[in-house]
Structure formats: structure tokens, C-alpha cells
Amino acid sequence: MGLSIRPVPILTDNYAWFLRDEDSGATALVDPAEEAPLVTAVEEAGGRLDQIFLTHHHADHVAATDALRKRFGAIVTGAAADAYRLPMLDQAVAEGDDIALGGAIGTVMETPGHTRGHIAFHFPLVPALFCGDTLFSLGCGRLFEGSAEEMFHSLRRIAALPDATLICCGHEYTLSNARFAQEVEPENAALHARVAEIDILRAEARPTVPVRLGLEKQTNPFLRAPDVATFARLRREKDAFR
């Protein structure tokens, strides 16, 4: 039956992701930062939380980890390189390590740029990528710790995944990202169609993610940047964009 995935809105514009392996019933949360709505989500799904996966150390991705672990007994997985500033890890992982949620097997990808120790979780049979703040729909994360070169190569690695991959990112930034993307590529027909879809989704208070990687490759200016210099220029322009 596979892995079911749904975004849980938390904080102001974050998403945690609730995963269930339908064959075993095992469940997980990715990047839990607000206790109350996530407790509700888990309890509405049967009250079972087996695992917590953390993409990076920022508080708006990890703040509820310890409370949820204590309440449900979940095992916490995060980057070994960032273990010193993450909640206590039960499983410290690095590039290429496998993770399992029941029968669903994922692989860890190191994706530095937003932070040095940022990781993503790739489940190839879904296919889905839980990418935290590395890649957003129509955007990418700010370079708080890493370099433009690091982020560019992280995005290149993501772009090499199958086009059907569901991009499950950490924020609902798509509408604001769309304004900048349209400035960069005003003649992009696929982008215009995506923006029309986004407008409808947000008017109905529905999430704009997950989104297929193939569509992002047609519409996201950061994924479409041909080289590091172009990417770095776009990132600087986006940082200043109002």
C-alpha cells in the first residue's frame, strides 16, 4: 500500500510532515516544531508516533521534538554532523545512510547551504523528498551558514532525482516566491500556469506542496540556474526583493 504523506500546518507558515507506512502502520513526523497541532494530528491518526526525522537544527523545525518524544516514545533521527545542536538523537545519520519506517526505506542526502549540517530524506519508491529548507516550491533556502556553491550543488543533486519526486518542503512560501520567479522569467508559460494554480490553492487555504520535481524544474529559477554565479546572483536578488 506504500507510504502516505500529508503536510500539517504549524507556526505561521511551516509544515511538518506526517508519514504512515500503510502496510505496517508505522508513523513518523518530519520537522516537528509546534506541539499542540502535531499531538492532534497524531491522535487523530490513531495515537502512534514511531519516529521523528529532523532536517536541520533551526527551532522552527525541531522545537516540539522532545515533547513529542516524551509523549509518544518516538525515535529521533538527525544529522550526525549537527548532533551537538539538535535535540538528543537516537539515530545519527550521514550521507547515504538508510532509514526505515516500517517497510518504507529512505536514504539520507546531505544538502548543505541553508545550514552546514542540513540533510534531506529521500524515499525513492514513493517517490518523495523531505527537504526542509533547502528547496521550496519556486524558491530555495537562504544561505545562513553555507555558501552559494554548496547550495547550488545541493540543488543540482535534488534536480537529478526523478521528475515524479514529490517535493515536501518546510514552508508555505510559494506565493511570495512566485512574485520573484515571475520577475526572473516573465515569459515562462509553465510558471504562469503554476501561479494560477497557486492563487486558487491559497484562496482556498490549501497547501501548495507537495509539488512534483519535474514541475519545479520548469518553473523554479534557482533549480534552473545553469551555474554557481547565476545562482548566487539570483539568491542575492531574492534576498533584496520586496
Side-chain angles (χ1 to χ4, degrees):
M1 296 174 64
L3 189 69
S4 67
I5 298 166
R6 70 179 179 94
V8 182
I10 57 174
L11 302 174
T12 303
D13 53 25
N14 281 69
Y15 290 121
W17 293 87
F18 185 79
L19 287 58
R20 183 202 296 274
D21 175 51
E22 299 295 350
D23 294 322
S24 66
T27 68
L29 281 169
V30 181
D31 287 354
E34 187 178 11
E35 182 180 1
L38 295 175
V39 167
T40 297
V42 172
E43 290 182 341
E44 288 179 349
R48 176 177 178 180
L49 182 62
D50 297 278
Q51 299 201 51
I52 293 171
F53 300 132
L54 306 177
T55 62
H56 64 295
H57 74 279
H58 287 163
D60 65 328
H61 291 256
V62 306
T65 299
D66 287 332
L68 292 167
R69 172 180 14 216
K70 182 177 180 180
R71 186 180 187 110
F72 296 108
I75 292 171
V76 178
T77 298
D82 257 4
Y84 70 99
R85 57 182 179 175
L86 288 167
M88 185 183 68
L89 298 178
D90 301 296
Q91 295 185 114
V93 295
E95 171 70 30
D97 287 347
D98 286 340
I99 57 170
L101 180 65
I105 305 300
T107 302
V108 175
M109 295 175 61
E110 293 181 350
T111 55
H114 180 65
T115 65
R116 292 189 183 91
H118 201 297
I119 60 175
F121 301 96
H122 178 222
F123 287 83
L125 294 184
V126 178
L129 181 74
F130 299 91
C131 53
D133 286 0
T134 298
L135 177 66
F136 302 124
S137 184
L138 303 184
C140 73
R142 289 177 179 266
L143 305 180
F144 285 129
E145 296 177 358
S147 66
E149 183 173 10
E150 286 175 320
M151 181 66 95
F152 177 79
H153 287 297
S154 292
L155 295 179
R156 289 297 91 205
R157 294 191 65 209
I158 291 172
L161 298 174
D163 283 355
T165 304
L166 291 171
I167 299 301
C168 304
C169 58
H171 289 271
E172 183 55 71
Y173 288 164
T174 316
L175 191 58
S176 60
N177 286 340
R179 293 174 48 242
F180 177 74
Q182 288 181 303
E183 289 281 331
V184 175
E185 295 193 35
E187 305 301 322
N188 186 328
L191 175 59
H192 288 308
R194 172 64 170 150
V195 172
E197 175 192 39
I198 292 162
D199 286 338
I200 293 170
L201 290 171
R202 295 313 294 158
E204 298 174 353
R206 290 194 286 158
T208 62
V209 289
V211 58
R212 297 288 180 186
L213 176 59
L215 181 56
E216 284 298 301
K217 287 163 66 174
Q218 296 177 49
T219 57
N220 187 324
F222 297 99
L223 278 182
R224 293 166 63 78
D227 51 48
V228 175
T230 304
F231 170 81
R233 174 180 58 79
L234 288 171
R235 186 62 263 177
R236 289 193 301 270
E237 291 175 355
K238 179 61 164 60
D239 290 345
F241 184 75
R242 293 292 183 268

mmCIF file of all heavy atoms in Angstrom, residues 88-126:
data_model
loop_
_atom_site.group_PDB
_atom_site.id
_atom_site.type_symbol
_atom_site.label_atom_id
_atom_site.label_comp_id
_atom_site.label_asym_id
_atom_site.label_seq_id
_atom_site.Cartn_x
_atom_site.Cartn_y
_atom_site.Cartn_z
ATOM 1 N N MET A 88 18.484 15.599 21.393
ATOM 2 C CA MET A 88 19.222 14.346 21.516
ATOM 3 C C MET A 88 18.765 13.357 20.449
ATOM 4 O O MET A 88 17.566 13.112 20.272
ATOM 5 C CB MET A 88 19.004 13.738 22.896
ATOM 6 C CG MET A 88 19.846 12.477 23.136
ATOM 7 S SD MET A 88 19.504 11.740 24.752
ATOM 8 C CE MET A 88 17.817 11.157 24.498
ATOM 9 N N LEU A 89 19.737 12.790 19.729
ATOM 10 C CA LEU A 89 19.427 11.876 18.639
ATOM 11 C C LEU A 89 19.511 10.429 19.108
ATOM 12 O O LEU A 89 20.457 10.034 19.786
ATOM 13 C CB LEU A 89 20.395 12.084 17.473
ATOM 14 C CG LEU A 89 20.383 13.466 16.817
ATOM 15 C CD1 LEU A 89 21.427 13.520 15.701
ATOM 16 C CD2 LEU A 89 19.010 13.814 16.276
ATOM 17 N N ASP A 90 18.530 9.631 18.708
ATOM 18 C CA ASP A 90 18.604 8.180 18.872
ATOM 19 C C ASP A 90 19.326 7.545 17.693
ATOM 20 O O ASP A 90 19.956 6.498 17.834
ATOM 21 C CB ASP A 90 17.192 7.601 18.994
ATOM 22 C CG ASP A 90 16.432 8.183 20.164
ATOM 23 O OD1 ASP A 90 16.861 7.966 21.310
ATOM 24 O OD2 ASP A 90 15.424 8.887 19.933
ATOM 25 N N GLN A 91 19.201 8.171 16.523
ATOM 26 C CA GLN A 91 19.901 7.715 15.327
ATOM 27 C C GLN A 91 20.578 8.920 14.682
ATOM 28 O O GLN A 91 19.904 9.862 14.256
ATOM 29 C CB GLN A 91 18.918 7.104 14.322
ATOM 30 C CG GLN A 91 18.233 5.847 14.790
ATOM 31 C CD GLN A 91 17.366 5.230 13.711
ATOM 32 O OE1 GLN A 91 17.633 4.140 13.232
ATOM 33 N NE2 GLN A 91 16.305 5.925 13.328
ATOM 34 N N ALA A 92 21.903 8.910 14.645
ATOM 35 C CA ALA A 92 22.673 9.960 13.995
ATOM 36 C C ALA A 92 23.096 9.454 12.624
ATOM 37 O O ALA A 92 23.745 8.405 12.512
ATOM 38 C CB ALA A 92 23.895 10.324 14.833
ATOM 39 N N VAL A 93 22.719 10.177 11.562
ATOM 40 C CA VAL A 93 22.890 9.668 10.204
ATOM 41 C C VAL A 93 23.726 10.622 9.370
ATOM 42 O O VAL A 93 23.906 11.793 9.708
ATOM 43 C CB VAL A 93 21.525 9.433 9.532
ATOM 44 C CG1 VAL A 93 20.761 8.318 10.254
ATOM 45 C CG2 VAL A 93 20.697 10.718 9.504
ATOM 46 N N ALA A 94 24.211 10.089 8.245
ATOM 47 C CA ALA A 94 25.031 10.861 7.319
ATOM 48 C C ALA A 94 24.703 10.430 5.898
ATOM 49 O O ALA A 94 23.896 9.514 5.674
ATOM 50 C CB ALA A 94 26.513 10.656 7.636
ATOM 51 N N GLU A 95 25.347 11.078 4.953
ATOM 52 C CA GLU A 95 25.114 10.828 3.534
ATOM 53 C C GLU A 95 25.089 9.338 3.201
ATOM 54 O O GLU A 95 26.001 8.591 3.564
ATOM 55 C CB GLU A 95 26.220 11.511 2.710
ATOM 56 C CG GLU A 95 26.241 11.172 1.238
ATOM 57 C CD GLU A 95 25.067 11.772 0.471
ATOM 58 O OE1 GLU A 95 24.588 12.848 0.882
ATOM 59 O OE2 GLU A 95 24.654 11.171 -0.533
ATOM 60 N N GLY A 96 24.018 8.917 2.525
ATOM 61 C CA GLY A 96 23.906 7.547 2.051
ATOM 62 C C GLY A 96 23.345 6.555 3.039
ATOM 63 O O GLY A 96 23.069 5.406 2.666
ATOM 64 N N ASP A 97 23.155 6.957 4.297
ATOM 65 C CA ASP A 97 22.576 6.035 5.279
ATOM 66 C C ASP A 97 21.107 5.766 4.947
ATOM 67 O O ASP A 97 20.387 6.632 4.465
ATOM 68 C CB ASP A 97 22.667 6.613 6.690
ATOM 69 C CG ASP A 97 24.067 6.588 7.260
ATOM 70 O OD1 ASP A 97 24.931 5.909 6.687
ATOM 71 O OD2 ASP A 97 24.300 7.261 8.289
ATOM 72 N N ASP A 98 20.686 4.541 5.218
ATOM 73 C CA ASP A 98 19.289 4.176 5.048
ATOM 74 C C ASP A 98 18.517 4.431 6.337
ATOM 75 O O ASP A 98 19.055 4.294 7.440
ATOM 76 C CB ASP A 98 19.147 2.699 4.668
ATOM 77 C CG ASP A 98 19.557 2.409 3.236
ATOM 78 O OD1 ASP A 98 19.589 3.349 2.416
ATOM 79 O OD2 ASP A 98 19.854 1.244 2.930
ATOM 80 N N ILE A 99 17.259 4.819 6.174
ATOM 81 C CA ILE A 99 16.327 4.900 7.292
ATOM 82 C C ILE A 99 15.112 4.074 6.927
ATOM 83 O O ILE A 99 14.807 3.893 5.743
ATOM 84 C CB ILE A 99 15.919 6.362 7.587
ATOM 85 C CG1 ILE A 99 15.306 7.012 6.346
ATOM 86 C CG2 ILE A 99 17.109 7.160 8.106
ATOM 87 C CD1 ILE A 99 14.668 8.348 6.603
ATOM 88 N N ALA A 100 14.428 3.532 7.924
ATOM 89 C CA ALA A 100 13.265 2.692 7.666
ATOM 90 C C ALA A 100 12.089 3.167 8.495
ATOM 91 O O ALA A 100 12.221 3.460 9.683
ATOM 92 C CB ALA A 100 13.584 1.231 7.985
ATOM 93 N N LEU A 101 10.939 3.238 7.854
ATOM 94 C CA LEU A 101 9.674 3.471 8.538
ATOM 95 C C LEU A 101 8.777 2.302 8.166
ATOM 96 O O LEU A 101 8.200 2.270 7.077
ATOM 97 C CB LEU A 101 9.053 4.799 8.114
ATOM 98 C CG LEU A 101 7.707 5.130 8.780
ATOM 99 C CD1 LEU A 101 7.887 5.318 10.281
ATOM 100 C CD2 LEU A 101 7.085 6.367 8.163
ATOM 101 N N GLY A 102 8.688 1.316 9.055
ATOM 102 C CA GLY A 102 8.048 0.067 8.679
ATOM 103 C C GLY A 102 8.771 -0.522 7.479
ATOM 104 O O GLY A 102 9.990 -0.676 7.484
ATOM 105 N N GLY A 103 8.024 -0.790 6.415
ATOM 106 C CA GLY A 103 8.651 -1.324 5.207
ATOM 107 C C GLY A 103 9.123 -0.276 4.233
ATOM 108 O O GLY A 103 9.677 -0.612 3.177
ATOM 109 N N ALA A 104 8.917 0.989 4.547
ATOM 110 C CA ALA A 104 9.334 2.072 3.659
ATOM 111 C C ALA A 104 10.782 2.439 3.963
ATOM 112 O O ALA A 104 11.117 2.785 5.097
ATOM 113 C CB ALA A 104 8.430 3.288 3.834
ATOM 114 N N ILE A 105 11.632 2.354 2.948
ATOM 115 C CA ILE A 105 13.058 2.606 3.123
ATOM 116 C C ILE A 105 13.418 3.929 2.455
ATOM 117 O O ILE A 105 13.107 4.161 1.283
ATOM 118 C CB ILE A 105 13.904 1.475 2.516
ATOM 119 C CG1 ILE A 105 13.489 0.129 3.094
ATOM 120 C CG2 ILE A 105 15.387 1.743 2.776
ATOM 121 C CD1 ILE A 105 13.628 0.011 4.593
ATOM 122 N N GLY A 106 14.081 4.784 3.229
ATOM 123 C CA GLY A 106 14.562 6.057 2.707
ATOM 124 C C GLY A 106 16.068 6.145 2.795
ATOM 125 O O GLY A 106 16.721 5.318 3.453
ATOM 126 N N THR A 107 16.617 7.143 2.124
ATOM 127 C CA THR A 107 18.057 7.372 2.103
ATOM 128 C C THR A 107 18.335 8.821 2.505
ATOM 129 O O THR A 107 17.601 9.726 2.114
ATOM 130 C CB THR A 107 18.642 7.110 0.705
ATOM 131 O OG1 THR A 107 18.348 5.764 0.316
ATOM 132 C CG2 THR A 107 20.149 7.309 0.696
ATOM 133 N N VAL A 108 19.390 9.005 3.269
ATOM 134 C CA VAL A 108 19.793 10.335 3.714
ATOM 135 C C VAL A 108 20.643 11.004 2.634
ATOM 136 O O VAL A 108 21.576 10.406 2.102
ATOM 137 C CB VAL A 108 20.587 10.253 5.026
ATOM 138 C CG1 VAL A 108 21.125 11.626 5.431
ATOM 139 C CG2 VAL A 108 19.721 9.668 6.137
ATOM 140 N N MET A 109 20.289 12.258 2.333
ATOM 141 C CA MET A 109 21.098 13.090 1.439
ATOM 142 C C MET A 109 21.595 14.297 2.221
ATOM 143 O O MET A 109 20.802 14.979 2.872
ATOM 144 C CB MET A 109 20.257 13.583 0.248
ATOM 145 C CG MET A 109 19.765 12.508 -0.685
ATOM 146 S SD MET A 109 18.651 13.188 -1.989
ATOM 147 C CE MET A 109 19.741 14.337 -2.840
ATOM 148 N N GLU A 110 22.879 14.552 2.191
ATOM 149 C CA GLU A 110 23.411 15.762 2.794
ATOM 150 C C GLU A 110 23.220 16.917 1.812
ATOM 151 O O GLU A 110 23.660 16.849 0.666
ATOM 152 C CB GLU A 110 24.880 15.576 3.167
ATOM 153 C CG GLU A 110 25.055 14.554 4.294
ATOM 154 C CD GLU A 110 26.494 14.355 4.722
ATOM 155 O OE1 GLU A 110 27.406 14.859 4.025
ATOM 156 O OE2 GLU A 110 26.715 13.674 5.741
ATOM 157 N N THR A 111 22.556 17.976 2.272
ATOM 158 C CA THR A 111 22.196 19.093 1.387
ATOM 159 C C THR A 111 22.570 20.427 2.039
ATOM 160 O O THR A 111 21.709 21.227 2.390
ATOM 161 C CB THR A 111 20.686 19.070 1.066
ATOM 162 O OG1 THR A 111 19.930 19.070 2.306
ATOM 163 C CG2 THR A 111 20.322 17.845 0.257
ATOM 164 N N PRO A 112 23.858 20.687 2.228
ATOM 165 C CA PRO A 112 24.278 21.921 2.892
ATOM 166 C C PRO A 112 23.992 23.151 2.037
ATOM 167 O O PRO A 112 23.853 23.073 0.809
ATOM 168 C CB PRO A 112 25.782 21.713 3.074
ATOM 169 C CG PRO A 112 26.166 20.786 1.959
ATOM 170 C CD PRO A 112 24.999 19.863 1.810
ATOM 171 N N GLY A 113 23.927 24.294 2.701
ATOM 172 C CA GLY A 113 23.680 25.556 2.032
ATOM 173 C C GLY A 113 22.900 26.475 2.951
ATOM 174 O O GLY A 113 23.391 27.522 3.375
ATOM 175 N N HIS A 114 21.686 26.080 3.279
ATOM 176 C CA HIS A 114 20.885 26.829 4.257
ATOM 177 C C HIS A 114 21.567 26.764 5.624
ATOM 178 O O HIS A 114 21.735 27.780 6.290
ATOM 179 C CB HIS A 114 19.486 26.224 4.309
ATOM 180 C CG HIS A 114 18.555 26.893 5.265
ATOM 181 N ND1 HIS A 114 18.130 28.195 5.099
ATOM 182 C CD2 HIS A 114 17.946 26.438 6.386
ATOM 183 C CE1 HIS A 114 17.303 28.507 6.085
ATOM 184 N NE2 HIS A 114 17.180 27.464 6.881
ATOM 185 N N THR A 115 21.930 25.558 6.031
ATOM 186 C CA THR A 115 22.822 25.336 7.175
ATOM 187 C C THR A 115 23.887 24.343 6.747
ATOM 188 O O THR A 115 23.720 23.615 5.772
ATOM 189 C CB THR A 115 22.068 24.788 8.411
ATOM 190 O OG1 THR A 115 21.567 23.476 8.098
ATOM 191 C CG2 THR A 115 20.915 25.699 8.806
ATOM 192 N N ARG A 116 24.955 24.279 7.501
ATOM 193 C CA ARG A 116 26.044 23.377 7.123
ATOM 194 C C ARG A 116 25.652 21.910 7.274
ATOM 195 O O ARG A 116 26.091 21.063 6.494
ATOM 196 C CB ARG A 116 27.282 23.669 7.974
ATOM 197 C CG ARG A 116 27.923 25.011 7.676
ATOM 198 C CD ARG A 116 29.267 25.158 8.376
ATOM 199 N NE ARG A 116 29.840 26.481 8.126
ATOM 200 C CZ ARG A 116 29.646 27.535 8.906
ATOM 201 N NH1 ARG A 116 28.911 27.412 9.998
ATOM 202 N NH2 ARG A 116 30.178 28.693 8.606
ATOM 203 N N GLY A 117 24.844 21.610 8.294
ATOM 204 C CA GLY A 117 24.521 20.217 8.573
ATOM 205 C C GLY A 117 23.180 19.766 8.037
ATOM 206 O O GLY A 117 22.662 18.728 8.455
ATOM 207 N N HIS A 118 22.600 20.508 7.107
ATOM 208 C CA HIS A 118 21.261 20.197 6.596
ATOM 209 C C HIS A 118 21.266 18.851 5.863
ATOM 210 O O HIS A 118 22.174 18.541 5.104
ATOM 211 C CB HIS A 118 20.811 21.301 5.640
ATOM 212 C CG HIS A 118 19.329 21.384 5.449
ATOM 213 N ND1 HIS A 118 18.588 20.368 4.885
ATOM 214 C CD2 HIS A 118 18.444 22.369 5.737
ATOM 215 C CE1 HIS A 118 17.318 20.722 4.838
ATOM 216 N NE2 HIS A 118 17.204 21.937 5.351
ATOM 217 N N ILE A 119 20.217 18.053 6.117
ATOM 218 C CA ILE A 119 20.027 16.805 5.391
ATOM 219 C C ILE A 119 18.598 16.752 4.847
ATOM 220 O O ILE A 119 17.727 17.511 5.257
ATOM 221 C CB ILE A 119 20.305 15.561 6.261
ATOM 222 C CG1 ILE A 119 19.378 15.515 7.480
ATOM 223 C CG2 ILE A 119 21.778 15.501 6.668
ATOM 224 C CD1 ILE A 119 19.524 14.226 8.310
ATOM 225 N N ALA A 120 18.389 15.839 3.906
ATOM 226 C CA ALA A 120 17.062 15.555 3.366
ATOM 227 C C ALA A 120 16.859 14.047 3.404
ATOM 228 O O ALA A 120 17.823 13.268 3.456
ATOM 229 C CB ALA A 120 16.937 16.085 1.943
ATOM 230 N N PHE A 121 15.596 13.645 3.383
ATOM 231 C CA PHE A 121 15.237 12.228 3.443
ATOM 232 C C PHE A 121 14.508 11.862 2.153
ATOM 233 O O PHE A 121 13.437 12.396 1.861
ATOM 234 C CB PHE A 121 14.343 11.951 4.661
ATOM 235 C CG PHE A 121 14.982 12.322 5.972
ATOM 236 C CD1 PHE A 121 14.722 13.551 6.567
ATOM 237 C CD2 PHE A 121 15.859 11.451 6.609
ATOM 238 C CE1 PHE A 121 15.309 13.909 7.769
ATOM 239 C CE2 PHE A 121 16.457 11.795 7.821
ATOM 240 C CZ PHE A 121 16.182 13.026 8.399
ATOM 241 N N HIS A 122 15.101 10.942 1.397
ATOM 242 C CA HIS A 122 14.570 10.559 0.092
ATOM 243 C C HIS A 122 13.986 9.153 0.172
ATOM 244 O O HIS A 122 14.684 8.205 0.537
ATOM 245 C CB HIS A 122 15.702 10.586 -0.949
ATOM 246 C CG HIS A 122 15.271 10.165 -2.316
ATOM 247 N ND1 HIS A 122 16.024 9.340 -3.120
ATOM 248 C CD2 HIS A 122 14.143 10.445 -3.023
ATOM 249 C CE1 HIS A 122 15.393 9.146 -4.250
ATOM 250 N NE2 HIS A 122 14.246 9.802 -4.214
ATOM 251 N N PHE A 123 12.700 9.041 -0.151
ATOM 252 C CA PHE A 123 12.023 7.746 -0.217
ATOM 253 C C PHE A 123 11.753 7.442 -1.685
ATOM 254 O O PHE A 123 10.773 7.924 -2.266
ATOM 255 C CB PHE A 123 10.725 7.775 0.594
ATOM 256 C CG PHE A 123 10.934 7.763 2.083
ATOM 257 C CD1 PHE A 123 11.199 8.932 2.779
ATOM 258 C CD2 PHE A 123 10.881 6.568 2.789
ATOM 259 C CE1 PHE A 123 11.408 8.915 4.148
ATOM 260 C CE2 PHE A 123 11.091 6.536 4.165
ATOM 261 C CZ PHE A 123 11.355 7.717 4.848
ATOM 262 N N PRO A 124 12.616 6.661 -2.323
ATOM 263 C CA PRO A 124 12.569 6.533 -3.783
ATOM 264 C C PRO A 124 11.355 5.794 -4.322
ATOM 265 O O PRO A 124 10.985 6.003 -5.480
ATOM 266 C CB PRO A 124 13.861 5.771 -4.112
ATOM 267 C CG PRO A 124 14.229 5.062 -2.860
ATOM 268 C CD PRO A 124 13.769 5.942 -1.741
ATOM 269 N N LEU A 125 10.730 4.935 -3.534
ATOM 270 C CA LEU A 125 9.602 4.175 -4.066
ATOM 271 C C LEU A 125 8.302 4.969 -4.056
ATOM 272 O O LEU A 125 7.318 4.566 -4.687
ATOM 273 C CB LEU A 125 9.434 2.861 -3.297
ATOM 274 C CG LEU A 125 10.575 1.857 -3.456
ATOM 275 C CD1 LEU A 125 10.256 0.561 -2.728
ATOM 276 C CD2 LEU A 125 10.866 1.574 -4.927
ATOM 277 N N VAL A 126 8.259 6.109 -3.353
ATOM 278 C CA VAL A 126 7.011 6.880 -3.345
ATOM 279 C C VAL A 126 6.753 7.543 -4.711
ATOM 280 O O VAL A 126 5.652 7.347 -5.254
ATOM 281 C CB VAL A 126 7.017 7.888 -2.190
ATOM 282 C CG1 VAL A 126 5.740 8.730 -2.219
ATOM 283 C CG2 VAL A 126 7.168 7.185 -0.839
#
